[in-house]
Amino acid sequence: FQKARLVYDVTVRFCDCYVAKSSRTHDQMVQAARSGVQNIAEGSQASGTSSKMELKLTNVARASLEELRLDYEDFLRQRGLPVLPPDHPALMRLKATRPDTLENVRAWARSERRREVRDAQGHSGTRATEPLSSAALVANAALSLLNLCCRLLDRQVAAQAAAFEKEGGFTERLYKTRQAR
């Protein structure tokens, strides 16, 4: 939930900065990010009375975040910007900071831009590629955070499914309790 909420905050800021507010993409990305967060919260709330609903809402959250991931990839592809591999040094530095707020991500992006500009000027060795734009850095940061969210949600869905298979849902447990009485 916390990482999904961070993705939502990053996405709102990203879209406000780099995607035309009048475009459908802006609204779609923000709504997909919001849906991810809201469905995780709603699924957690529903867990007390319906394991089936919890599992369904967690899957909806996962699907929303996958849709958002594709939107970020499309943004980069359509602008000729790179999708960085997970082991790219900039992303490794992002992961090392363990960002938990929008300001943490913004600070990382500022630091990376300074590093990119310094490297492009030849102050720390030769540079084989053009510096990454702020949009490319933040989109790749969002993708990295989304990858983490999706992995965590995949694990959560698997655990929920296993628990549902083993224990049944709330209604089934009530029925067994009533039958035992």
Side-chain angles (χ1 to χ4, degrees), residues 91-128:
L91 294 180
M92 296 303 288
R93 287 187 289 272
L94 172 70
K95 293 169 190 172
T97 68
R98 295 182 174 261
D100 58 357
T101 66
L102 176 61
E103 188 49 46
N104 293 153
V105 175
R106 292 177 75 189
W108 166 84
R110 283 191 300 270
S111 173
E112 289 300 318
R113 282 296 293 152
R114 283 193 300 274
R115 180 187 307 270
E116 290 279 333
V117 169
R118 186 179 63 244
D119 289 355
Q121 294 171 345
H123 293 294
S124 61
T126 59
R127 183 90 179 152

Side-chain angles (χ1 to χ4, degrees), residues 58-117:
T58 305
N59 271 308
V60 170
R62 173 64 172 83
S64 293
L65 295 178
E66 184 64 31
E67 176 186 339
L68 181 60
R69 183 164 54 177
L70 293 172
D71 284 334
Y72 275 109
E73 289 173 355
D74 290 345
F75 176 91
L76 292 167
R77 187 186 68 256
Q78 291 166 358
R79 288 159 181 80
L81 300 172
V83 174
L84 302 177
D87 62 348
H88 187 279
L91 294 180
M92 296 303 288
R93 287 187 289 272
L94 172 70
K95 293 169 190 172
T97 68
R98 295 182 174 261
D100 58 357
T101 66
L102 176 61
E103 188 49 46
N104 293 153
V105 175
R106 292 177 75 189
W108 166 84
R110 283 191 300 270
S111 173
E112 289 300 318
R113 282 296 293 152
R114 283 193 300 274
R115 180 187 307 270
E116 290 279 333
V117 169

Side-chain angles (χ1 to χ4, degrees), residues 2 31 40 55 59 92 113 140 149 164 169-170 178 180:
Q2 293 168 341
Q31 286 307 311
I40 292 169
L55 184 57
N59 271 308
M92 296 303 288
R113 282 296 293 152
N140 276 285
C149 283
F164 185 74
F170 181 74
R178 267 195 321 271

